[in-house]
Structure formats: C-alpha cells, structure tokens
C-alpha cells in the first residue's frame, strides 16, 4: 500500500513524499501558498521507472486535496517545463489544468530546451 508523508510543513515550500508499498520514495511534490486563495505547485517529480502508472496523478491529486483542505486554497498554478516530444502538458491537462498563456517562453539550460507552459486549475 502506498502512502504520503508531508515534510517541511513550517517552511515556505512544504514537500509531499510519495512512498510505495516497499517503503521506497518514488516521487515528491513541493508547493507554496501564494495568498489566501492561491497556491503554486513548484515541483512534481516521479522516478522514471514509476512513471506512466498513474503515480503522478495520485501525487498531484493528493497535493491538491492537501492545499484545498488544509489551506482553503481555491486555485493552483504551475509552470510546466516541457522538453520537445514530452507529454507533460498533456499530463496536466488530463488532470484538469488549463493553459494560462499559449505564448510559451523557451528555456535553454545548456543541454536541453524546454517550453515553459503556465497552467492553472480551479479546485
């Protein structure tokens, strides 16, 4: 049975750990409370061998429910860093996120080029 653990609760960027039934951390998600109605998903990560098995969706939904229930958040936002041929935008759209601005910025970290896609979801 998988479970979630919340770390750094007092910090400005709490972290949710996703732990599988073998007690291995398979992913994590950090978030920030922007104001009394909005939060930002700062980082959502699932280890490669656990992707495309609904684990990203489970972690995202748990984090959304956490900010909605514990902080009364009504909307979350994020900036998806999508490499060409990735399906990150599709993943977030499947989970109810909408694109804020279709005029994407591009980021080059020296080895990869990313589309920076601003997205949001009303909880």
């Amino acid at each position: 049975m998988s479970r979630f653990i919340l770390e750094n609760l007092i910090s400005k960027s709490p972290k949710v750990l996703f732990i599988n039934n073998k007690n291995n951390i398979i992913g994590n998600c950090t978030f920030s409370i922007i104001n009394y109605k909005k939060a930002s998903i700062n980082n959502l990560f699932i280890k490669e061998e656990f992707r495309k098995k609904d684990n990203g969706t489970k972690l995202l939904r748990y984090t959304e429910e956490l900010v909605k229930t514990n902080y009364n958040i009504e909307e979350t936002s994020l900036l998806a860093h999508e490499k060409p041929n990735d399906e990150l935008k599709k993943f977030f759209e499947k989970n109810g996120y909408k694109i804020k601005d279709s005029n994407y910025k591009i980021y080059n970290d020296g080895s990869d080029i990313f589309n920076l896609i601003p997205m949001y979801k009303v909880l």
Side-chain angles (χ1 to χ4, degrees):
M1 177 174 187
S2 58
R3 60 193 168 99
F4 300 94
I5 295 176
L6 185 59
E7 285 188 339
N8 306 328
L9 187 59
I10 300 174
S11 78
K12 292 185 179 184
S13 191
K15 180 186 281 189
V16 178
L17 299 178
F18 189 12
I19 299 172
N20 69 5
N21 58 357
K22 296 178 182 176
N23 280 336
N24 297 318
I25 297 172
I26 65 169
N28 66 72
C29 184
T30 59
F31 63 90
S32 297
I33 304 303
I34 307 286
N35 60 36
Y36 68 97
K37 290 186 178 185
K38 294 183 180 185
S40 174
I41 304 291
N42 301 326
N43 184 33
L44 177 77
F45 175 77
I46 298 290
K47 290 182 179 177
E48 188 136 4
E49 64 267 28
F50 298 100
R51 293 179 187 167
K52 300 197 184 253
K53 298 175 183 171
D54 209 32
N55 291 312
T57 294
K58 288 176 186 174
L59 178 56
L60 181 60
R61 287 187 183 156
Y62 180 86
T63 304
E64 291 169 348
E65 189 59 33
L66 177 74
V67 298
K68 182 178 179 181
T69 303
N70 291 6
Y71 300 95
N72 298 316
I73 296 302
E74 298 174 6
E75 182 179 306
T76 57
S77 63
L78 57 87
L79 185 63
H81 291 66
E82 183 179 64
K83 292 179 185 177
N85 302 318
D86 271 358
E87 295 186 359
L88 194 56
K89 182 179 75 145
K90 275 174 105 173
F91 166 77
F92 285 114
E93 287 176 327
K94 176 186 90 167
N95 283 286
Y97 282 79
K98 296 185 178 172
I99 297 172
K100 275 187 184 176
D101 183 359
S102 60
N103 188 17
Y104 310 146
K105 295 191 177 178
I106 296 177
Y107 172 70
N108 182 345
D109 71 358
S111 60
D112 289 309
I113 296 176
F114 299 86
N115 288 320
L116 302 178
I117 307 168
M119 303 183 86
Y120 73 97
K121 179 179 180 180
V122 175
L123 301 176

